[in-house]
């Protein structure tokens, strides 16, 4: 009896013997890899400071997720600085961006008014640049994108751990498959801030109901066989997603919607899944006057497929057709595109083509990309209505910014906007929820044609936005990170 013969579950035969050999080599390989990374981490880990590494390969994108990243780092460093005699912390960012550390922090300061440039010189902030971000690009996985990106994140996570081993690992972009890498190979404490679950029950229901959407093509939706196979694929993925998600020591989510889905999919008690609303720039926007608003409709959001900007044009067209008295109303779709992302650029080109081809839109609708802060603020100070059209958005930072600026939102009747944001404040409505173009048009008309009621919503919305302020976020992030033993006395 050899060791292979002692493995009973595969039986005899040449194929099974070969499989047994592969299984044994897999176990040996995993054991050796674990020993290698554990020893390397122990030797190379910084002993003079407690290091917190944020896995955020797209930290230079300039979106809401990046605002949360920089605000969290700023809050943790400030809390540590207030403890004069305690051990210092260092925040490390794993970045896959083609930019220098100075350029990234310069953009963060210009875009969000969060200045961490001084921390680079002092050593409180460090960057570890990753060369294999292509592994997590959606374009690298035209088929089986979800599992492809997840497997790609494992490879990128291995590169990150090889280059730098922290005490605490924080995934701030939703790469749960990296958790076991850092927990078992690196011996790190694992934390995460989840903006959006990789898979949700909403996604599964769309597949099973054969509903076409941006992540379920019409070809699949029309075929019963493809729908069945994709359902099995999603359910199998959900099982593995739950296993890796449970490797986290600290789990923070950004909305009630995300918290509910993570609790359900990862099969956790709700007490283990915490809720901290993302940091929003409310104080600066709350200084804008409420009076003197113009018939301008604005939307804020990056130009991505899931944002569904075409629904905004459908709704605005419906408004123009059904309410001809609102002839002076204008639409400004304001947002950013990811650096070098051809898909985002095609969306912008498609929207502009549609506007130029439609007489009712040609002179009153525009697409504005990467506006400077002051120009964006000027638009928000003039606008009356804010549009949001993404189905099942996890939160909706853009909606909070609209409300803080005194712009009354008409948001999609789902996800975070429905559960957390566009809700009554002290008994007063703060905006409207809609799904179809007709509903959006009616809601926009109510805002534009009823100034007295609109002013009440502006005031209530502005007060409600305080729930999502930078100060509130910073205090809660620090309180929750204190729950980690390594940081209990450092923050």
């Amino acid at each position: 009896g050899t060791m292979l013969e002692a493995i009973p579950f595969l039986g005899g035969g040449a194929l099974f013997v070969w499989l047994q050999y592969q299984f044994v080599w897999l176990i040996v390989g995993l054991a050796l890899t674990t020993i290698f990374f554990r020893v390397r981490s122990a030797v190379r880990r910084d002993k003079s400071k407690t290091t917190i590494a944020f896995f955020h390969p797209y930290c230079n994108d300039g979106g809401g997720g990046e605002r949360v990243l920089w605000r969290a780092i700023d809050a943790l460093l400030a809390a540590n600085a207030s403890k004069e005699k305690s051990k210092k912390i260092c925040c490390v960012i794993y970045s896959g961006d083609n930019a220098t550390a100075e350029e990234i922090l310069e953009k963060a300061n210009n875009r969000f008014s969060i200045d961490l440039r001084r921390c680079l010189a002092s050593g409180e902030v460090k960057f570890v640049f990753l060369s294999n971000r292509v592994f997590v690009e959606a374009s690298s996985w035209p088929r089986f994108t979800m599992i492809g990106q997840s497997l790609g994140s494992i490879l990128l996570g291995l590169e990150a751990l090889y280059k730098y081993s922290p005490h605490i690992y924080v995934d701030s972009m939703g790469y749960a498959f990296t958790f076991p890498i850092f927990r078992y190979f690196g011996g790190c404490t694992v934390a995460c801030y989840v903006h959006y679950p990789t898979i949700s029950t909403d996604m599964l229901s769309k597949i099973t109901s054969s509903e076409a959407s941006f992540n379920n093509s019409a070809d699949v939706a029309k075929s019963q066989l493809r729908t069945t196979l994709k359902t099995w694929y999603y359910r199998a993925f959900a099982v593995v997603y739950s296993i890796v998600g449970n490797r986290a020591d600290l789990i923070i989510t950004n909305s009630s919607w995300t918290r509910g889905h993570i609790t359900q999919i990862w099969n956790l008690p709700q007490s283990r899944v915490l809720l901290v609303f993302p940091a929003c720039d409310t104080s600066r926007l709350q200084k804008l006057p409420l009076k003197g608003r113009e018939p301008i409709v604005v939307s804020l959001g990056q130009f991505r497929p899931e944002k569904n900007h075409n629904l905004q044009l459908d709704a605005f067209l419906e408004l123009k057709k059904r309410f001809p008295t609102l002839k002076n109303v204008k639409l400004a779709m304001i947002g950013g595109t990811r650096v070098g992302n051809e898909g985002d650029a095609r969306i912008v080109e498609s929207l502009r083509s549609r506007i130029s081809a439609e007489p009712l839109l040609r002179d009153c609708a525009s697409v504005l990309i990467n506006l400077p802060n002051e120009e964006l603020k000027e638009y928000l100070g003039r606008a009356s209505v804010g549009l949001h059209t993404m189905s099942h958005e996890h939160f909706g930072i853009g909606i909070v910014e609209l409300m803080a600026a005194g712009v009354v939102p008409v948001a999609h009747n789902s996800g975070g906007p429905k559960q957390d944001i566009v809700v009554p404040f002290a008994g007063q409505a703060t905006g409207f929820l809609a799904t179809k173009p007709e509903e959006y048009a009616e809601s926009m008309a109510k805002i534009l044609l009823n100034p007295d009621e609109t002013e009440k919503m502006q005031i209530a919305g502005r007060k409600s936005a305080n729930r999502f302020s930078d100060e509130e976020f910073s205090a809660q992030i620090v309180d929750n990170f204190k729950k980690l033993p390594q940081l209990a006395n450092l923050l």
Side-chain angles (χ1 to χ4, degrees):
T2 65
M3 179 175 66
L4 291 176
E5 291 170 344
I7 302 176
F9 62 87
L10 285 174
L15 175 61
F16 291 126
V17 170
W18 181 84
L19 287 172
Q20 288 173 346
Y21 270 111
Q22 307 316 307
F23 178 78
V24 169
W25 282 118
L26 175 64
I27 298 301
V28 171
L30 285 172
L32 291 175
T33 304
T34 302
I35 293 168
F36 169 77
F37 275 106
R38 281 293 182 107
V39 172
R40 182 183 173 85
S41 297
V43 171
R44 295 168 63 95
R45 189 171 281 141
D46 191 338
K47 308 293 192 301
S48 64
K49 298 177 180 178
T50 297
T51 53
I52 310 170
F54 291 80
F55 191 74
H56 207 105
Y58 297 86
C59 66
N60 203 34
D61 269 11
E66 287 67 59
R67 187 174 214 288
V68 166
L69 169 71
W70 303 124
R71 183 55 68 197
I73 290 173
D74 185 57
L76 293 172
L77 290 174
N80 179 242
S82 68
K83 300 268 188 177
E84 292 183 7
K85 295 182 180 179
S86 73
K87 188 178 181 181
K88 293 305 173 186
I89 66 171
C90 172
C91 290
V92 177
I93 302 96
Y94 292 119
S95 169
D97 295 288
N98 185 24
T100 65
E102 290 79 10
E103 288 169 343
I104 292 171
L105 294 182
E106 183 73 29
K107 182 173 180 178
N109 182 50
N110 293 338
R111 177 73 178 87
F112 307 120
S113 300
I114 300 172
D115 193 355
L116 293 169
R117 292 170 295 182
R118 68 192 185 285
C119 302
L120 199 61
S122 67
E124 294 171 283
V125 168
K126 292 181 181 177
F127 283 82
V128 174
F129 288 97
L130 309 176
S131 56
N132 293 299
R133 192 177 74 174
V134 66
F135 290 146
V136 296
E137 298 277 1
S139 57
S140 299
W141 310 94
R143 293 287 180 269
F144 300 101
T145 307
M146 194 165 58
I147 189 66
Q149 286 182 294
S150 298
L151 293 174
S153 72
I154 294 174
L155 298 174
L156 194 62
L158 285 168
E159 181 193 351
L161 181 60
Y162 182 81
K163 287 184 173 178
Y164 190 89
S165 179
H167 294 92
I168 299 166
Y169 169 75
V170 185
D171 166 46
S172 50
M173 279 204 75
Y175 294 112
F177 280 68
T178 61
F179 297 179
I181 299 296
F182 281 84
R183 184 183 179 93
Y184 297 124
F185 290 174
C188 309
T189 296
V190 175
C192 60
Y193 186 91
V194 185
H195 292 273
Y196 199 90
T198 305
I199 190 169
S200 68
T201 51
D202 291 329
M203 290 167 65
L204 275 168
S205 65
K206 283 187 177 183
I207 304 300
T208 54
S209 63
S210 299
E211 180 183 339
S213 64
F214 77 92
N215 65 348
N216 191 39
S217 69
D219 289 342
V220 173
K222 290 174 184 175
S223 167
Q224 186 58 51
L225 176 60
R226 289 186 179 185
T227 295
T228 301
L229 291 173
K230 190 164 186 177
T231 301
W232 289 347
Y233 162 50
Y234 270 42
R235 285 177 177 163
F237 181 88
V239 170
V240 183
Y241 184 53
S242 172
I243 293 169
V244 297
N246 273 263
R247 302 313 101 192
D249 301 287
L250 176 66
I251 302 166
I252 304 175
T253 57
N254 71 337
S255 70
S256 300
W257 184 89
T258 303
R259 186 186 192 189
H261 281 279
I262 288 295
T263 300
Q264 185 176 8
I265 294 167
W266 288 2
N267 194 26
L268 293 167
Q270 197 168 52
S271 58
R272 272 212 60 201
V273 184
L274 309 174
L275 169 62
V276 177
F277 292 128
C280 302
D281 183 11
T282 56
S283 57
R284 183 177 63 91
L285 295 172
Q286 285 174 332
K287 296 173 184 176
L288 294 169
L290 297 180
K291 300 288 186 182
R293 297 298 174 116
E294 301 172 34
I296 296 176
V297 179
V298 297
S299 71
L300 299 178
Q302 292 183 310
F303 291 98
R304 302 184 183 188
E306 63 269 26
K307 297 296 184 182
N308 200 2
H309 284 86
N310 272 304
L311 179 53
Q312 295 177 18
L313 293 181
D314 293 340
F316 191 69
L317 264 175
E318 193 69 24
L319 177 71
K320 298 285 285 184
K321 290 174 182 176
R322 292 180 60 180
F323 300 93
T325 55
L326 294 170
K327 58 184 179 182
N328 294 324
V329 66
K330 295 185 183 298
L331 170 66
M333 293 189 286
I334 303 171
T337 56
R338 290 167 287 188
V339 178
N341 190 293
E342 294 180 6
D344 293 358
R346 283 195 295 269
I347 290 172
V348 170
E349 186 181 335
S350 171
L351 291 170
R352 285 176 170 164
S353 297
R354 185 178 172 190
I355 289 170
S356 63
E358 173 57 60
L360 282 175
L361 296 175
R362 196 174 298 143
D363 298 322
C364 56
S366 56
V367 177
L368 306 171
I369 305 172
N370 300 326
L371 287 185
N373 249 337
E374 285 309 308
E375 199 172 335
L376 171 61
K377 188 177 172 183
E378 189 257 338
Y379 257 101
L380 295 178
R382 292 164 54 203
S384 300
V385 182
L387 271 187
H388 166 272
T389 48
M390 179 176 169
S391 173
H392 298 291
E393 175 142 37
H394 48 291
F395 182 68
I397 285 180
I399 304 171
V400 176
E401 291 177 340
L402 291 169
M403 291 165 65
V407 181
V408 180
V410 185
H412 197 279
N413 190 18
S414 65
K418 179 181 181 179
Q419 290 182 248
D420 294 323
I421 304 175
V422 189
V423 295
F425 183 83
Q428 171 63 51
T430 56
F432 295 92
L433 295 167
T435 305
K436 299 176 181 177
E438 301 79 24
E439 297 168 348
Y440 277 99
E442 288 171 11
S443 299
M444 286 189 283
K446 287 177 183 176
I447 297 168
L448 294 167
L449 297 173
N450 299 287
D452 292 341
E453 187 59 32
T454 295
E455 187 177 5
K456 292 177 185 177
M457 285 191 284
Q458 286 177 302
I459 295 169
R462 181 165 276 185
K463 290 178 179 176
S464 180
N466 284 327
R467 296 179 294 136
F468 314 109
S469 67
D470 282 337
E471 294 75 18
E472 191 69 25
F473 171 82
S474 296
Q476 290 190 35
I477 279 292
V478 170
D479 285 345
N480 283 303
F481 270 77
K482 278 182 183 177
K483 295 173 182 176
L484 297 175
Q486 301 102 312
L487 298 178
N489 298 317
L490 302 186
L491 300 177

